[in-house]
Amino acid sequence: TANVLDSSGKTVGAVRRVEVSAEGKPTRVSVAMMGAKEQIVVLDAASVNYDAHKNEITALSGLPSNG
């Protein structure tokens, strides 16, 4: 399972599921956010970068703020 980082590089969750198109391209990424409550956030695959060497996804946008 890949870790999910915010744009500052902080680990904020883990990938739960990746949805793919009929052509096999990722379309959406479901992320289980860390914290007291289990929260699932669905991100557009175009809004993340995947580093296969580190097995990490960096979310460029779409994450809830830690407000």
Side-chain angles (χ1 to χ4, degrees):
T1 300
N3 285 331
V4 179
L5 311 175
D6 65 13
S7 59
S8 70
K10 178 182 173 188
T11 301
V12 295
V15 173
R16 272 285 181 89
R17 179 185 346 187
V18 177
E19 295 180 30
V20 296
S21 68
E23 295 80 28
K25 295 188 180 212
T27 57
R28 297 194 305 178
V29 180
S30 296
V31 178
M33 301 297 290
M34 292 174 26
K37 295 180 187 177
E38 185 169 328
Q39 179 182 10
I40 303 295
V41 176
V42 180
L43 303 173
D44 187 315
S47 72
V48 303
N49 287 333
Y50 177 60
D51 183 331
H53 181 70
K54 295 180 179 179
N55 193 33
E56 294 177 337
I57 287 179
T58 300
L60 307 175
S61 63
L63 290 174
S65 66
N66 247 357

